[in-house]
Coordinates of all heavy atoms in Angstrom, one line a residue:
P1 N 39.5 115.8 105.2 CA 38.2 116.0 105.7 C 38.2 115.9 107.2 O 38.9 115.1 107.8 CB 37.5 114.8 105.0 CG 38.4 114.3 103.9 CD 39.9 114.7 104.2
P2 N 37.4 116.7 107.8 CA 37.2 116.7 109.3 C 37.0 115.3 109.9 O 37.5 115.0 110.9 CB 36.1 117.5 109.6 CG 35.9 118.4 108.3 CD 36.4 117.6 107.1
G3 N 36.2 114.4 109.2 CA 35.9 113.1 109.8 C 37.1 112.2 109.9 O 37.1 111.2 110.6
E4 N 38.2 112.6 109.2 CA 39.4 111.7 109.2 C 40.6 112.3 110.1 O 41.7 111.9 110.0 CB 39.9 111.5 107.9 CG 39.0 110.8 107.0 CD 39.5 110.5 105.5 OE1 40.7 111.0 105.3 OE2 38.8 110.1 104.7
F5 N 40.2 113.3 110.9 CA 41.2 114.0 111.6 C 42.0 113.2 112.5 O 43.4 113.1 112.5 CB 40.6 115.2 112.6 CG 41.5 115.6 113.6 CD1 42.3 116.7 113.2 CD2 41.6 115.1 114.9 CE1 43.2 117.3 114.2 CE2 42.6 115.7 115.7 CZ 43.4 116.8 115.4
D6 N 41.5 112.2 113.3 CA 42.3 111.3 114.1 C 43.2 110.3 113.3 O 44.3 110.2 113.6 CB 41.4 110.5 115.1 CG 40.2 109.7 114.4 OD1 39.9 110.0 113.2 OD2 39.7 108.8 114.8
K7 N 42.7 109.8 112.2 CA 43.5 109.0 111.3 C 44.7 109.7 110.7 O 45.8 109.2 110.7 CB 42.7 108.3 110.2 CG 41.6 107.4 110.6 CD 40.7 107.0 109.5 CE 39.6 106.3 110.0 NZ 38.5 106.1 108.9
R8 N 44.4 110.8 110.3 CA 45.5 111.6 109.6 C 46.5 112.1 110.6 O 47.7 112.1 110.3 CB 44.9 112.9 108.8 CG 44.0 112.3 107.7 CD 43.4 113.5 106.9 NE 44.7 114.0 106.0 CZ 44.4 114.9 105.1 NH1 43.2 115.5 105.1 NH2 45.5 115.3 104.5
M9 N 46.0 112.5 111.9 CA 47.0 113.0 112.9 C 48.0 111.7 113.3 O 49.0 111.9 113.4 CB 46.4 113.6 114.1 CG 47.3 114.2 115.0 SD 46.6 115.3 116.3 CE 46.2 114.0 117.5
K10 N 47.3 110.6 113.5 CA 48.0 109.4 114.0 C 49.1 109.0 112.8 O 50.2 108.8 113.1 CB 47.1 108.3 114.2 CG 47.8 107.0 114.7 CD 46.7 105.9 115.0 CE 47.4 104.7 115.4 NZ 48.9 104.4 115.3
R11 N 48.7 109.1 111.6 CA 49.6 108.7 110.4 C 50.7 109.7 110.5 O 51.8 109.3 110.3 CB 48.8 108.7 109.2 CG 49.6 108.3 107.9 CD 48.9 108.0 106.7 NE 48.1 109.2 106.5 CZ 46.9 109.3 106.1 NH1 46.2 108.2 105.9 NH2 46.2 110.4 105.7
H12 N 50.4 111.1 110.7 CA 51.4 112.1 110.7 C 52.5 111.8 111.7 O 53.7 111.8 111.5 CB 50.7 113.4 110.9 CG 51.8 114.6 111.0 ND1 52.4 115.1 109.8 CD2 52.2 115.4 112.0 CE1 53.2 116.0 110.2 NE2 53.0 116.2 111.6
I13 N 51.9 111.4 112.9 CA 52.8 111.2 114.2 C 53.7 109.9 113.9 O 54.8 109.8 114.1 CB 52.0 111.1 115.4 CG1 51.6 112.5 115.7 CG2 53.0 110.6 116.6 CD1 50.6 112.5 116.9
D14 N 53.0 108.9 113.3 CA 53.5 107.5 113.1 C 54.8 107.8 112.0 O 55.7 107.0 112.0 CB 52.6 106.5 112.6 CG 51.7 106.1 113.6 OD1 52.1 106.4 114.9 OD2 50.6 105.4 113.4
D15 N 54.6 108.7 111.1 CA 55.5 108.9 110.1 C 56.6 109.9 110.6 O 57.5 110.4 109.8 CB 54.9 109.5 108.9 CG 54.0 108.6 108.0 OD1 54.2 107.4 108.3 OD2 53.2 109.1 107.3
G16 N 56.7 110.2 112.0 CA 57.7 111.0 112.4 C 57.4 112.5 112.6 O 58.3 113.2 113.0
G17 N 56.2 112.8 112.1 CA 55.8 114.3 112.2 C 55.6 114.6 113.6 O 55.3 113.9 114.5
K18 N 55.7 116.0 113.9 CA 55.2 116.5 115.2 C 54.1 117.4 114.9 O 54.0 118.1 114.0 CB 56.5 117.3 115.7 CG 57.7 116.4 116.0 CD 58.8 117.1 116.7 CE 59.9 116.2 116.8 NZ 60.5 115.9 117.9
V19 N 53.3 117.4 116.0 CA 52.1 118.4 116.0 C 52.3 119.4 117.1 O 52.5 119.1 118.2 CB 50.9 117.6 116.3 CG1 49.6 118.5 116.3 CG2 50.6 116.5 115.3
H20 N 52.4 120.7 116.6 CA 52.6 121.7 117.6 C 51.3 122.4 118.0 O 51.0 122.9 119.0 CB 53.6 122.7 117.1 CG 54.9 122.1 116.8 ND1 55.9 121.8 117.9 CD2 55.5 121.6 115.8 CE1 56.9 121.3 117.5 NE2 56.7 121.1 116.2
T21 N 50.5 122.6 116.8 CA 49.2 123.5 117.0 C 48.2 123.0 116.0 O 48.4 122.5 114.9 CB 49.5 125.0 116.5 OG1 50.6 125.5 117.3 CG2 48.3 125.7 116.8
I22 N 47.0 122.8 116.6 CA 45.7 122.5 115.8 C 44.9 123.9 115.5 O 44.7 124.4 116.6 CB 45.0 121.4 116.4 CG1 45.7 120.0 116.5 CG2 43.5 121.2 115.7 CD1 45.0 119.2 117.4
V23 N 44.7 124.2 114.3 CA 44.0 125.4 114.1 C 42.6 125.0 113.6 O 42.5 124.3 112.6 CB 44.8 126.3 113.0 CG1 43.9 127.6 112.8 CG2 46.2 126.6 113.6
I24 N 41.6 125.6 114.2 CA 40.3 125.4 113.8 C 39.7 126.7 113.3 O 39.8 127.7 114.1 CB 39.4 124.9 114.9 CG1 39.9 123.5 115.5 CG2 37.9 124.7 114.6 CD1 39.4 123.1 116.7
V25 N 39.1 126.9 112.1 CA 38.7 128.1 111.5 C 37.3 128.1 111.3 O 36.7 127.2 110.8 CB 39.5 128.5 110.2 CG1 39.1 129.8 109.6 CG2 41.0 128.4 110.6
D26 N 36.6 129.2 111.9 CA 35.2 129.5 111.5 C 35.1 130.8 110.9 O 35.8 131.7 111.2 CB 34.3 129.5 112.8 CG 32.9 129.4 112.8 OD1 32.4 129.4 111.5 OD2 32.2 129.3 113.7
D27 N 34.1 130.9 109.9 CA 34.1 132.2 109.3 C 33.4 133.3 110.0 O 33.8 134.3 110.0 CB 33.2 132.0 107.8 CG 31.9 131.4 108.1 OD1 31.5 130.9 109.0 OD2 31.2 131.4 107.0
L28 N 32.4 133.0 110.7 CA 31.5 133.9 111.4 C 31.0 133.3 112.8 O 30.4 132.4 112.8 CB 30.3 134.5 110.5 CG 29.4 135.3 111.3 CD1 30.0 136.8 111.5 CD2 28.1 135.5 110.3
V29 N 31.3 134.1 113.8 CA 30.7 133.8 115.1 C 29.6 134.8 115.4 O 30.1 136.0 115.7 CB 31.9 133.7 116.3 CG1 31.2 133.4 117.6 CG2 32.8 132.5 115.8
G30 N 28.4 134.3 115.4 CA 27.3 135.4 115.7 C 27.1 135.2 117.2 O 27.5 136.0 118.0
T31 N 26.2 134.2 117.7 CA 25.9 134.0 119.1 C 27.0 133.1 119.7 O 27.2 133.2 121.1 CB 24.6 133.2 119.2 OG1 24.7 132.0 118.7 CG2 23.5 134.1 118.7
G32 N 27.9 132.5 118.9 CA 28.8 131.5 119.5 C 28.2 130.1 119.8 O 29.1 129.2 120.1
K33 N 27.0 130.0 119.8 CA 26.3 128.6 120.2 C 26.8 127.5 119.3 O 27.2 126.5 119.8 CB 24.8 128.7 120.2 CG 24.3 129.7 121.3 CD 22.8 129.8 121.3 CE 22.3 130.7 122.3 NZ 20.8 130.7 122.3
S34 N 26.8 127.8 118.0 CA 27.1 126.6 117.1 C 28.6 126.4 117.1 O 29.0 125.1 117.0 CB 26.7 126.9 115.6 OG 27.4 128.2 115.1
L35 N 29.4 127.2 117.3 CA 30.9 127.1 117.4 C 31.2 126.3 118.6 O 31.9 125.3 118.6 CB 31.7 128.4 117.4 CG 33.2 128.1 117.6 CD1 33.7 127.3 116.4 CD2 33.9 129.5 117.5
I36 N 30.6 126.7 119.7 CA 30.8 125.9 121.0 C 30.3 124.5 120.9 O 30.9 123.6 121.3 CB 30.1 126.7 122.3 CG1 31.1 127.8 122.6 CG2 30.0 125.8 123.5 CD1 32.5 127.4 123.1
A37 N 29.2 124.3 120.3 CA 28.6 123.0 120.2 C 29.4 122.0 119.3 O 29.6 121.0 119.6 CB 27.2 123.0 119.5
N38 N 30.0 122.7 118.3 CA 30.9 122.0 117.3 C 32.3 121.7 118.0 O 32.7 120.5 117.9 CB 31.3 122.6 116.1 CG 30.0 122.7 115.1 OD1 29.2 121.8 115.2 ND2 29.9 123.7 114.4
L39 N 32.8 122.6 118.9 CA 34.0 122.3 119.7 C 33.8 121.3 120.7 O 34.6 120.5 120.9 CB 34.5 123.6 120.2 CG 35.0 124.7 119.3 CD1 35.3 126.0 120.1 CD2 36.3 124.1 118.7
E40 N 32.6 121.3 121.4 CA 32.3 120.3 122.3 C 32.4 118.8 121.7 O 32.9 117.8 122.2 CB 30.8 120.4 122.9 CG 30.9 121.5 123.9 CD 29.6 121.8 124.5 OE1 28.4 121.4 124.0 OE2 29.4 122.7 125.4
E41 N 31.7 118.7 120.4 CA 31.7 117.5 119.8 C 33.1 117.0 119.3 O 33.6 115.9 119.6 CB 30.9 117.5 118.5 CG 30.8 116.3 117.7 CD 29.9 116.4 116.5 OE1 29.1 117.4 116.4 OE2 30.0 115.6 115.7
F42 N 33.9 118.1 118.9 CA 35.3 117.7 118.5 C 36.1 117.2 119.7 O 36.8 116.3 119.6 CB 35.9 118.9 117.9 CG 37.4 118.8 117.6 CD1 37.8 118.3 116.5 CD2 38.4 119.4 118.5 CE1 39.1 118.2 116.0 CE2 39.6 119.2 118.2 CZ 40.1 118.7 116.9
M43 N 36.1 118.0 120.8 CA 36.8 117.7 122.1 C 36.4 116.3 122.7 O 37.2 115.6 123.1 CB 36.7 118.8 123.0 CG 37.3 120.1 122.6 SD 39.2 120.0 122.3 CE 39.8 119.9 123.8
Q44 N 35.1 116.1 122.6 CA 34.7 114.7 123.3 C 35.1 113.6 122.4 O 35.6 112.5 122.8 CB 33.1 114.7 123.2 CG 32.4 115.5 124.3 CD 31.0 115.6 124.1 OE1 30.3 115.0 123.2 NE2 30.4 116.2 125.2
K45 N 35.3 113.9 121.1 CA 35.8 112.8 120.1 C 37.4 112.7 120.1 O 37.9 111.6 120.2 CB 35.3 113.1 118.7 CG 35.7 111.9 117.8 CD 34.9 112.2 116.5 CE 35.1 111.0 115.6 NZ 34.3 111.2 114.3
Y46 N 38.1 113.7 120.3 CA 39.5 113.7 120.1 C 40.4 114.2 121.3 O 41.6 114.1 121.2 CB 39.9 114.6 118.9 CG 39.2 114.2 117.6 CD1 38.3 115.1 117.0 CD2 39.5 112.9 117.1 CE1 37.8 114.7 115.8 CE2 38.8 112.5 115.9 CZ 38.1 113.5 115.2 OH 37.5 113.0 114.0
E47 N 39.7 114.6 122.2 CA 40.4 115.1 123.5 C 41.6 114.1 123.9 O 42.7 114.6 124.2 CB 39.5 115.5 124.6 CG 40.3 116.3 125.7 CD 39.3 116.9 126.6 OE1 38.1 116.4 126.7 OE2 39.6 117.9 127.3
N48 N 41.3 112.9 124.1 CA 42.2 111.9 124.6 C 43.4 111.7 123.6 O 44.5 111.2 123.9 CB 41.6 110.5 124.9 CG 40.6 110.8 126.1 OD1 40.9 111.6 126.9 ND2 39.7 109.9 126.1
D49 N 43.2 112.0 122.4 CA 44.2 111.9 121.3 C 45.2 113.1 121.1 O 46.1 113.0 120.4 CB 43.6 111.6 119.8 CG 42.7 110.4 120.0 OD1 43.1 109.4 120.5 OD2 41.7 110.4 119.2
I50 N 44.8 114.2 121.7 CA 45.6 115.4 121.7 C 46.3 115.7 122.9 O 45.8 115.9 123.9 CB 44.6 116.6 121.3 CG1 43.7 116.5 120.1 CG2 45.5 117.9 121.2 CD1 42.7 117.5 119.9
P51 N 47.7 115.6 122.7 CA 48.5 115.8 124.0 C 48.3 117.1 124.4 O 48.1 118.2 123.7 CB 50.0 115.7 123.3 CG 49.8 114.8 122.0 CD 48.5 115.2 121.6
E52 N 48.5 117.4 125.7 CA 48.3 118.8 126.4 C 49.3 119.7 125.8 O 49.0 121.0 125.8 CB 48.5 118.6 127.8 CG 48.2 119.7 128.7 CD 46.6 120.1 128.7 OE1 45.9 119.1 128.6 OE2 46.3 121.3 128.9
A53 N 50.4 119.2 125.3 CA 51.5 120.3 124.8 C 51.1 120.9 123.6 O 51.5 121.9 123.1 CB 52.7 119.6 124.6
V54 N 50.0 120.2 122.8 CA 49.7 120.8 121.6 C 48.6 121.9 121.7 O 47.7 121.7 122.5 CB 48.9 119.6 120.7 CG1 48.4 120.1 119.4 CG2 50.0 118.5 120.3
A55 N 49.0 123.1 121.2 CA 48.1 124.2 121.3 C 46.9 124.0 120.3 O 47.1 123.5 119.2 CB 48.7 125.5 120.8
I56 N 45.7 124.4 120.8 CA 44.5 124.5 120.0 C 44.1 125.8 119.9 O 43.9 126.5 120.8 CB 43.5 123.5 120.6 CG1 43.8 122.2 120.7 CG2 42.1 123.7 119.7 CD1 42.8 121.3 121.5
R57 N 44.1 126.3 118.6 CA 43.7 127.8 118.3 C 42.5 127.8 117.6 O 42.4 127.2 116.4 CB 44.9 128.6 117.5 CG 46.1 128.6 118.4 CD 45.9 129.5 119.7 NE 47.0 129.5 120.6 CZ 47.2 128.7 121.8 NH1 46.3 128.0 122.1 NH2 48.1 128.8 122.4
V58 N 41.4 128.4 118.0 CA 40.1 128.6 117.3 C 40.2 130.0 116.8 O 40.3 130.9 117.6 CB 38.9 128.3 118.3 CG1 37.6 128.5 117.5 CG2 39.2 126.9 119.0
I59 N 39.9 130.1 115.5 CA 40.1 131.4 114.8 C 38.7 131.7 114.1 O 38.3 130.8 113.5 CB 41.2 131.6 114.0 CG1 42.5 131.4 114.6 CG2 41.3 132.8 113.1 CD1 43.8 131.3 113.8
S60 N 38.2 132.9 114.1 CA 37.0 133.2 113.4 C 37.4 134.4 112.5 O 38.2 135.4 113.1 CB 35.8 133.5 114.2 OG 35.9 134.6 114.9
L61 N 36.8 134.6 111.4 CA 37.2 135.7 110.5 C 36.5 137.0 111.1 O 37.0 138.1 111.2 CB 36.7 135.5 109.1 CG 37.4 134.2 108.4 CD1 37.0 134.2 107.1 CD2 39.0 134.5 108.5
F62 N 35.2 136.9 111.6 CA 34.5 137.9 112.2 C 33.8 137.2 113.5 O 33.4 136.1 113.5 CB 33.3 138.3 111.3 CG 33.9 138.8 109.9 CD1 34.0 138.1 108.7 CD2 34.5 140.2 109.8 CE1 34.5 138.5 107.6 CE2 34.9 140.6 108.8 CZ 35.0 139.8 107.5
A63 N 33.5 138.1 114.4 CA 32.8 137.7 115.7 C 32.1 138.8 116.3 O 32.7 140.0 116.4 CB 33.8 137.0 116.7
T64 N 30.9 138.6 116.8 CA 30.2 139.6 117.6 C 30.7 139.6 118.9 O 31.5 138.7 119.3 CB 28.7 139.3 117.5 OG1 28.5 138.2 118.3 CG2 28.1 139.2 116.2
A65 N 30.6 140.7 119.7 CA 31.0 140.8 121.1 C 30.3 139.6 121.9 O 31.0 139.0 122.7 CB 30.7 142.1 121.6
E66 N 29.0 139.5 121.7 CA 28.3 138.4 122.3 C 29.0 137.0 121.9 O 29.2 136.1 122.9 CB 26.8 138.4 121.9 CG 26.1 137.2 122.5 CD 24.7 137.0 121.9 OE1 24.3 137.9 121.0 OE2 24.0 136.1 122.2
G67 N 29.2 136.7 120.8 CA 29.7 135.5 120.4 C 31.1 135.3 121.0 O 31.5 134.1 121.4
Q68 N 32.0 136.2 120.8 CA 33.3 136.1 121.4 C 33.3 135.8 122.9 O 34.1 134.9 123.3 CB 34.1 137.4 121.1 CG 35.5 137.5 121.7 CD 36.3 138.6 121.3 OE1 35.8 139.6 120.6 NE2 37.4 138.9 121.9
K69 N 32.4 136.4 123.5 CA 32.3 136.2 125.1 C 31.8 134.7 125.3 O 32.4 134.2 126.2 CB 31.3 137.3 125.7 CG 31.2 137.1 127.2 CD 30.1 138.1 127.6 CE 30.0 138.0 129.2 NZ 29.0 138.9 129.8
R70 N 30.8 134.4 124.6 CA 30.3 133.0 124.8 C 31.3 131.9 124.5 O 31.6 131.0 125.2 CB 29.0 132.8 124.0 CG 28.6 131.4 124.2 CD 27.2 131.1 123.6 NE 26.0 131.7 124.4 CZ 25.2 132.6 123.9 NH1 25.2 132.9 122.7 NH2 24.3 133.1 124.8
V71 N 32.1 132.1 123.4 CA 33.2 131.2 123.1 C 34.3 131.2 124.1 O 34.6 130.0 124.5 CB 33.7 131.4 121.7 CG1 35.0 130.6 121.4 CG2 32.7 131.3 120.5
L72 N 34.8 132.3 124.5 CA 35.8 132.3 125.5 C 35.4 131.7 126.8 O 36.1 130.9 127.5 CB 36.2 133.8 125.7 CG 37.1 134.4 124.6 CD1 37.3 135.9 124.9 CD2 38.3 133.8 124.5
Q73 N 34.0 132.0 127.3 CA 33.5 131.2 128.4 C 33.4 129.8 128.2 O 33.7 129.0 129.1 CB 32.1 131.8 128.8 CG 32.2 133.3 129.3 CD 30.9 133.9 129.6 OE1 29.9 133.4 129.0 NE2 30.8 135.0 130.4
G74 N 33.0 129.3 126.9 CA 32.8 128.0 126.7 C 34.1 127.1 126.8 O 34.2 126.0 127.1
L75 N 35.2 127.7 126.2 CA 36.5 127.1 126.3 C 37.0 126.6 127.5 O 37.7 125.8 127.7 CB 37.5 128.0 125.5 CG 37.3 128.3 124.0 CD1 38.5 129.1 123.6 CD2 37.2 127.0 123.2
Q76 N 36.5 127.5 128.6 CA 37.0 127.1 130.0 C 36.5 125.7 130.5 O 37.1 125.2 131.3 CB 36.5 128.1 131.0 CG 37.2 129.5 130.6 CD 36.5 130.6 131.5 OE1 35.9 130.4 132.5 NE2 36.9 131.9 131.2
K77 N 35.4 125.2 129.9 CA 35.0 123.9 130.4 C 35.7 122.7 129.7 O 35.5 121.6 130.2 CB 33.4 123.8 130.1 CG 33.0 123.8 128.7 CD 31.6 123.7 128.6 CE 31.0 124.2 127.3 NZ 29.6 124.3 127.1
F78 N 36.5 123.0 128.7 CA 37.4 121.9 128.2 C 38.5 121.6 129.0 O 39.1 122.5 129.7 CB 37.7 122.2 126.7 CG 36.7 122.5 125.7 CD1 36.6 123.6 125.1 CD2 35.6 121.6 125.6 CE1 35.6 123.9 124.2 CE2 34.5 121.8 124.8 CZ 34.6 123.0 124.1
G79 N 38.8 120.3 129.1 CA 40.1 119.8 129.9 C 41.4 120.3 129.5 O 42.4 120.2 130.1
H80 N 41.4 120.7 128.2 CA 42.6 121.0 127.5 C 43.0 122.5 127.9 O 42.2 123.5 127.6 CB 42.6 121.0 126.0 CG 43.9 120.9 125.3 ND1 44.4 119.7 125.1 CD2 44.5 121.8 124.6 CE1 45.6 119.8 124.4 NE2 45.6 121.2 124.1
S81 N 44.2 122.6 128.6 CA 44.5 124.0 129.1 C 45.2 125.0 128.1 O 45.2 126.1 128.2 CB 45.5 123.9 130.2 OG 46.8 123.3 129.8
N82 N 45.5 124.3 126.9 CA 46.2 125.2 125.9 C 45.3 125.4 124.7 O 45.7 125.1 123.5 CB 47.6 124.4 125.5 CG 48.5 125.3 124.8 OD1 48.3 126.5 124.7 ND2 49.6 124.8 124.3
I83 N 44.1 126.0 124.9 CA 43.2 126.2 124.0 C 42.9 127.8 124.0 O 42.6 128.2 125.2 CB 41.9 125.3 124.2 CG1 41.0 125.6 122.8 CG2 41.3 125.5 125.4 CD1 39.9 124.5 122.7
D84 N 42.8 128.5 122.9 CA 42.4 129.8 122.8 C 41.5 130.1 121.6 O 41.7 129.5 120.7 CB 43.7 130.6 123.0 CG 43.5 132.1 123.2 OD1 42.5 132.4 123.7 OD2 44.4 132.9 122.8
F85 N 40.9 131.2 121.8 CA 40.0 131.8 120.6 C 40.5 133.2 120.3 O 40.8 134.0 121.1 CB 38.5 131.8 121.1 CG 37.6 132.5 120.2 CD1 37.3 132.0 118.9 CD2 37.0 133.8 120.4 CE1 36.5 132.6 118.0 CE2 36.2 134.4 119.5 CZ 36.0 133.9 118.3
R86 N 40.5 133.3 118.9 CA 41.1 134.7 118.4 C 40.2 135.0 117.2 O 40.3 134.4 116.2 CB 42.5 134.5 117.9 CG 43.5 134.0 118.9 CD 44.1 135.0 119.7 NE 45.0 134.4 120.9 CZ 46.3 134.5 120.8 NH1 46.8 135.1 119.8 NH2 46.9 134.0 121.8
P87 N 39.3 136.1 117.5 CA 38.6 136.6 116.3 C 39.6 137.5 115.5 O 40.5 138.4 116.1 CB 37.4 137.4 116.9 CG 38.0 137.7 118.3 CD 39.1 136.8 118.7
C88 N 39.3 137.6 114.1 CA 40.2 138.5 113.3 C 39.6 139.8 113.3 O 40.4 140.8 113.2 CB 40.3 137.9 111.8 SG 41.2 136.4 111.8
E89 N 38.4 140.0 113.5 CA 37.8 141.3 113.4 C 36.6 141.4 114.3 O 35.9 140.4 114.4 CB 37.4 141.7 111.9 CG 36.9 143.1 111.8 CD 37.0 143.6 110.3 OE1 37.9 143.2 109.7 OE2 35.9 144.2 110.0

């Protein structure tokens, strides 16, 4: 469950696991506003727990041109330099 992300990641690392990439999937990006709002909440909550070397990939199954542009612009305000957005279609 999303609400247990920090506990599960910490347990994984404590058990000797390595985290290379965090993948966040959204089904549809229309305007991009809700995805950016959710990413802001996620990053505010977990940014200090995610090492800079860990890639964060945000993927959507579908995205409008407007939504894609807004998400790409919104990602720039996060302090994590290894974050990217990839729409599938």
